[in-house]
Amino acid sequence: MDMLLEPVTLPPFPEGLRISLRQMHLLQAPMGGTLVTGGATFRVFAPHARAVYVSGPFNDWAQDASCRLAPIGNGHWAVFIPGLKDGDAYMYFVEGEGSSGYKRDPHARLLTVDPPFPQAHSVLRNPQAFPWHDTDFTPPPWNELVIYQLHVGSFDMKAGNPDGCFFDVIERVPHLARLGVNAIELLPVQEFPTMFSMGYNGTDLFSPETEYGEAEETHLAAYFTRTNEILAAAGAAPYADINVVRHCDDQLRALIDVCHVHGIAVLFDVVYNHAGGGFDENSIWFFDRQPYGDPNRSLYFTDQGWAGGQVFAYWNADVRQYLVDNAIMFYREYHADGLRFDEVSVMDRFGGWATCQQLTEALRAEKPDAIQIAEYWPVNPWVVKDIAQGGAGFDATWSDGLRLALRGAIASAAGGAGALVPMQPIAAAIADLSLDKRWRAVNSIENHDIVYAGREPRIPRLADPVNSRCWYARSRSRVATGLLLTAPGIPMLFMGQELF
């Protein structure tokens, strides 16, 4: 089924721009490739390009007048191509001042498996076609959330599969429901350039990581059967056909759908302080193909680096809108129940405070009951203050007070019967009112940053460095988890923590 464009108010007509009456409808085309009645529209931001084409198997990868995008003002280009359908592959061909060549669509909803990343092509998708079960799902109130943070690639790896996938997480959803958590937080699931990653080096922010999808037919059939068994056991109708979950993006939707059937909300971890940690020639890097050399001319980024990647150009209104569009996509197309924003402190450091405000304002207007969680170090109360007061407008923020206090006490207790165990810091963390409302603090004693290999130990190992399975280690772990779950704030468990 084609996704029809909704009527919108046309933007002011750019002064001095010549555009034919036949092309007027392109002024309201959404960004990226979008299926509409009779074909697809394509719109891209490339202010310094000399020409932009859209090519694919549909035209034998030609670059000619029939597939050339028209300049529609403010650095945007657009075209309508008739006859295109869901699943069709495409690429932009950009002629710039520095070079000419193919680029993936920065707004592509899916990338091909063959050819694989980074040679992958963009794929047209109809995100409205998925048969959701969650019409009546309501996420828990924010102050009742119990979050379970997990990494798709390592949460439940099967024998012979070097990376876990969305289906593997689906198979563990009944366990999570029995455990009592009512929300999961997925570490970033956008396409990243490395073979394995926690996800914080994404390059194609609108496309799910293809390694988290299952394309092999035999494995896909087995996963499809088990997913339908899980739905049936929960009293939900099975998916009618394997094609419902054939593609990676719909496999992610199935994960969210199954979670909602089991009463579990889904939060996405998004990274807007930087992108990459390596960009390929077809990526968003220097998208309009200005001459390489000065990262400030790369269009979406600046010359400032962070975590191996490049900081976004927050001064650019189109880049800010790109991030807003990406965040809203998770609500509209994946039924997300909230977002966790990585290192907002880095965004602030590089001039992104207003971008945070634009994000939180747009998201609250889109879905008021979806929680917006910031990560800001050191903890900054202004990040959860209203925009009208000058705050960033987030609903909650990660906090380290309880974590530091509990881990300090557990580590001290490992010293034996004569050890001095500091309890006052725990009391102070529990009573802390620096965020005004104590439920605004998202507390954890483990998370992906803390227990990453080579950093700090998990709680049982901290409790007893010699024998993490002994009675003392397990008992102290249960005490720490009990305090986490009952203290004021939103508790967050890290995957596997329930086994201690």
Side-chain angles (χ1 to χ4, degrees):
M1 181 178 69
D2 289 335
M3 182 174 64
L4 300 179
L5 293 176
E6 297 180 359
V8 297
T9 302
L10 291 177
F13 196 73
E15 184 178 355
L17 177 67
R18 291 175 174 268
I19 187 170
S20 69
L21 289 175
R22 188 173 60 87
Q23 296 172 322
M24 283 287 289
H25 69 286
L26 296 176
L27 292 173
Q28 61 174 315
M31 297 298 293
T34 305
L35 290 169
V36 296
T37 301
T41 60
F42 297 88
R43 180 170 178 167
V44 68
F45 176 57
H48 300 98
R50 293 172 175 170
V52 182
Y53 302 86
V54 61
S55 305
F58 61 88
N59 68 353
D60 293 325
W61 298 100
Q63 289 91 48
D64 57 32
S66 69
C67 62
R68 180 169 176 158
L69 279 68
I72 60 172
N74 300 318
H76 289 235
W77 304 70
V79 70
F80 169 75
I81 303 292
L84 294 182
K85 61 187 184 304
D86 185 53
D88 282 346
Y90 68 98
M91 294 279 277
Y92 293 121
F93 189 92
V94 181
E95 294 180 357
E97 299 174 14
S99 63
S100 297
Y102 287 110
K103 286 287 188 182
R104 294 188 298 276
D105 186 351
H107 289 80
R109 288 342 196 238
L110 182 67
L111 302 181
T112 59
V113 177
D114 184 18
F117 190 89
Q119 287 77 37
H121 303 151
S122 304
V123 179
L124 281 171
R125 295 293 283 147
N126 178 6
Q128 308 306 322
F130 186 81
W132 293 93
H133 293 83
D134 66 354
T135 305
D136 298 325
F137 176 75
T138 301
W142 300 341
N143 62 337
E144 295 180 12
L145 286 170
V146 179
I147 302 172
Y148 188 98
Q149 187 189 43
L150 67 90
H151 176 257
V152 171
S154 58
F155 179 54
D156 188 37
M157 293 184 291
K158 297 291 191 296
N161 182 11
D163 296 313
C165 66
F166 296 129
F167 281 121
D168 291 324
V169 181
I170 287 175
E171 294 186 357
R172 296 292 301 278
V173 169
H175 160 75
L176 295 173
R178 290 191 298 269
L179 185 63
V181 300
N182 57 19
I184 63 170
E185 179 186 308
L186 303 175
L187 268 65
V189 296
Q190 292 99 322
E191 188 71 54
F192 49 76
T194 49
M195 287 299 294
F196 190 82
S197 170
M198 286 202 297
Y200 295 91
N201 58 336
T203 55
D204 297 70
L205 300 192
F206 286 76
S207 303
E209 169 57 45
T210 50
E211 289 294 320
Y212 293 162
E214 180 56 71
E216 198 279 322
E217 197 66 30
T218 302
H219 292 165
L220 178 60
Y223 277 128
F224 174 69
T225 298
R226 291 198 291 272
T227 298
N228 273 344
E229 291 171 351
I230 291 169
L231 285 170
Y239 296 128
D241 186 88
I242 196 170
N243 290 317
V244 170
V245 292
R246 181 164 300 281
H247 298 292
C248 182
D249 56 337
D250 281 335
Q251 293 169 19
L252 175 56
R253 290 187 181 94
L255 167 58
I256 299 161
D257 194 35
V258 171
C259 283
H260 286 174
V261 166
H262 286 79
I264 298 174
V266 179
L267 315 181
F268 282 87
D269 194 338
V270 293
V271 185
Y272 297 148
N273 53 64
H274 78 287
F279 291 99
D280 62 274
E281 179 66 19
N282 296 343
S283 72
I284 194 174
W285 181 242
F286 280 86
F287 183 81
D288 55 2
R289 292 195 172 274
Q290 294 193 70
Y292 287 120
D294 180 3
N296 288 310
R297 300 183 68 187
S298 63
L299 186 59
Y300 282 86
F301 305 99
T302 69
D303 61 355
Q304 300 298 308
W306 179 257
Q310 297 297 130
V311 174
F312 283 102
Y314 301 120
W315 59 268
N316 188 311
D318 284 277
V319 173
R320 294 196 304 272
Q321 190 60 49
Y322 172 76
L323 299 178
V324 170
D325 290 346
N326 181 249
I328 288 177
M329 177 201 70
F330 286 106
Y331 290 176
R332 292 181 181 175
E333 300 180 16
Y334 288 98
H335 293 201
D337 304 297
L339 301 175
R340 178 265 187 188
F341 295 78
D342 180 66
E343 284 280 23
V344 169
S345 38
V346 175
M347 295 180 68
D348 185 22
R349 187 183 312 164
F350 292 109
W353 188 260
T355 303
C356 293
Q357 295 174 321
Q358 184 176 342
L359 279 161
T360 57
E361 185 174 45
L363 291 168
R364 188 160 293 110
E366 179 71 24
K367 194 172 184 179
D369 61 347
I371 192 167
Q372 303 177 54
I373 302 172
E375 178 193 18
Y376 196 112
W377 304 119
V379 177
N380 181 358
W382 282 94
V383 83
V384 294
K385 290 184 183 294
D386 290 341
I387 294 173
Q389 298 176 274
F394 291 97
D395 301 307
T397 186
W398 274 24
S399 177
D400 58 357
L402 187 62
R403 169 171 57 81
L404 294 172
L406 276 173
R407 291 182 70 92
I410 293 293
S412 296
L420 295 176
V421 180
M423 301 299 288
Q424 184 56 38
I426 298 176
I430 291 173
D432 180 53
L433 292 172
S434 63
L435 298 178
D436 184 28
K437 297 179 177 64
R438 287 188 285 179
W439 67 262
R440 292 187 184 275
V442 177
N443 295 315
S444 65
I445 52 177
E446 295 188 345
N447 62 53
H448 71 282
D449 276 329
I450 298 302
V451 300
Y452 188 79
R455 296 180 184 172
E456 297 185 36
R458 302 204 72 164
I459 290 293
R461 181 67 64 185
L462 181 67
D464 191 324
V466 176
N467 183 3
S468 62
R469 305 299 294 173
C470 74
W471 183 86
Y472 289 106
R474 295 169 68 89
S475 296
R476 291 163 185 162
S477 298
R478 288 192 291 270
V479 169
T481 301
L483 282 168
L484 170 68
L485 292 172
T486 56
I490 299 173
M492 186 180 77
L493 303 171
F494 185 64
M495 60 182 189
Q497 193 173 335
E498 73 272 21
L499 303 178
F500 302 155

